[in-house]
Amino acid sequence: QCSAGTYQSGSVCTPCKVCSTNAKTTGACSAGSTSDMIVCTCNAGFIGDGVSVCNQCSSGTYQNGSKCSPCAVCVSVATTSGSCPAGSSSDAVSCTCPSGYIGDGTSLGSGCLQCPAGTYQLGQRCKNCTVCSANAA
C-alpha cells in the first residue's frame, strides 16, 4: 500500500501533484490512494496550470479565464475611476463621458462622441432640440 502523498500506479507508488505557489489545492492523496485526486487551481489574478506555474497578471491587465486581458483605457475627455493593479481578477476601470457626449468612454470601444449643435445628450443618445417659434415668449 502506498503512503500519504503517493498513489498506486501499476506496481509502483507515484508522487501526487504538488501545487505551485499562488495556487489553491483541492482533493487529497491519502495513504492507499489509487489515483492522484489533487486538483491545482491558480488563485484569482494568476494564470497557469496550477502545478508548474501560476503567473500574476501584470498591472493594466486582469485575469480573464485562462489569460490576462488588457483593462479598459479611457479616452482623454472621459473621467477614469477604478484601477487595474497587478493581480487583478476583474477589470475595475470605469470610463465616463462628460456631459454633452455619448459613448462608453474607452479607447477600444465607442469613445466619447460630442453631440452635434442643435442636439443635447439624453442618456446614451443625442436628441434634437425643440425649435421655438419666432413669437415664443
Side-chain angles (χ1 to χ4, degrees):
Q1 180 177 4
C2 294
S3 62
T6 63
Y7 67 96
Q8 188 74 42
S9 177
S11 61
V12 297
C13 293
T14 303
C16 294
K17 287 190 260 337
V18 175
C19 298
S20 73
T21 304
N22 299 312
K24 179 176 128 182
T25 303
T26 54
C29 200
S30 52
S33 293
T34 57
S35 63
D36 186 347
M37 299 301 291
I38 292 179
V39 177
C40 302
T41 308
C42 291
N43 295 334
F46 292 79
I47 59 166
D49 63 10
V51 178
S52 60
V53 67
C54 281
N55 292 318
Q56 185 178 47
C57 291
S58 61
S59 179
T61 67
Y62 69 100
Q63 177 196 0
N64 184 5
S66 62
K67 63 182 188 216
C68 295
S69 295
C71 294
V73 175
C74 302
V75 295
S76 61
V77 297
T79 302
T80 303
S81 60
S83 64
C84 214
S88 294
S89 58
S90 65
D91 185 352
V93 174
S94 177
C95 305
T96 306
C97 294
S99 184
Y101 288 75
I102 60 169
D104 66 5
T106 67
S107 60
L108 295 177
S110 61
C112 290
L113 304 171
Q114 187 172 20
C115 289
T119 66
Y120 66 96
Q121 176 194 356
L122 181 63
Q124 282 297 313
R125 296 184 347 205
C126 293
K127 188 165 169 66
N128 288 328
C129 295
T130 303
V131 178
C132 296
S133 67
N135 297 330

